[in-house]
Amino acid sequence: MTSLLPIIEELADAPDNAARARWLLETPLAVLIRDQVTIGRLLSAAAFHEGLAYLAAEIAALSAVRGPDGLAAFTVRMTREHARIGIQVIARGGAGEVGHASGSR
């Protein structure tokens, strides 16, 4: 038995980067910000660098000062979208899984 919350255990038990990417996309943003240190450690242990970049972009966007229009700076929003698109590709079994698939045979 671990001291991790069940939702975080799902990430810890993820079998590959596609599953980790899906977890990152589906998990409530409040969980990402609340448990960012633990999530970051799990992504680091899995050497999931794209996941770490996505987590950092989400945290930056959620923590950014917003302008009078209620939005973060354009660069923050574009960094977040770029990271999100990359994670979506991996979640569908794209680019981030190539190295892992060949190494697991």
Side-chain angles (χ1 to χ4, degrees):
M1 184 166 170
T2 68
S3 62
L4 297 176
L5 295 172
I7 195 167
I8 304 299
E9 283 183 7
E10 290 175 18
L11 175 62
D13 294 340
D16 56 30
N17 285 347
R20 289 181 195 94
R22 286 189 297 274
W23 185 91
L24 285 166
L25 290 169
E26 295 169 2
T27 297
L29 295 174
V31 172
L32 294 183
I33 203 160
R34 181 192 68 208
D35 296 314
Q36 62 186 291
V37 172
T38 302
I39 294 166
R41 286 182 184 152
L42 291 169
L43 297 173
S44 289
F48 187 27
H49 305 292
E50 297 88 349
L52 285 166
Y54 172 76
L55 178 64
E58 283 290 3
I59 299 304
L62 291 167
S63 304
V65 173
R66 298 180 294 153
D69 59 0
L71 299 173
F74 180 76
T75 54
V76 172
R77 296 191 327 261
M78 289 302 100
T79 300
R80 181 187 204 182
E81 270 313 298
H82 185 275
R84 184 176 291 151
I85 290 167
I87 288 296
Q88 288 170 337
V89 169
I90 294 168
R92 291 190 304 264
E97 288 302 297
V98 174
H100 294 284
S102 62
S104 64
R105 295 182 188 222

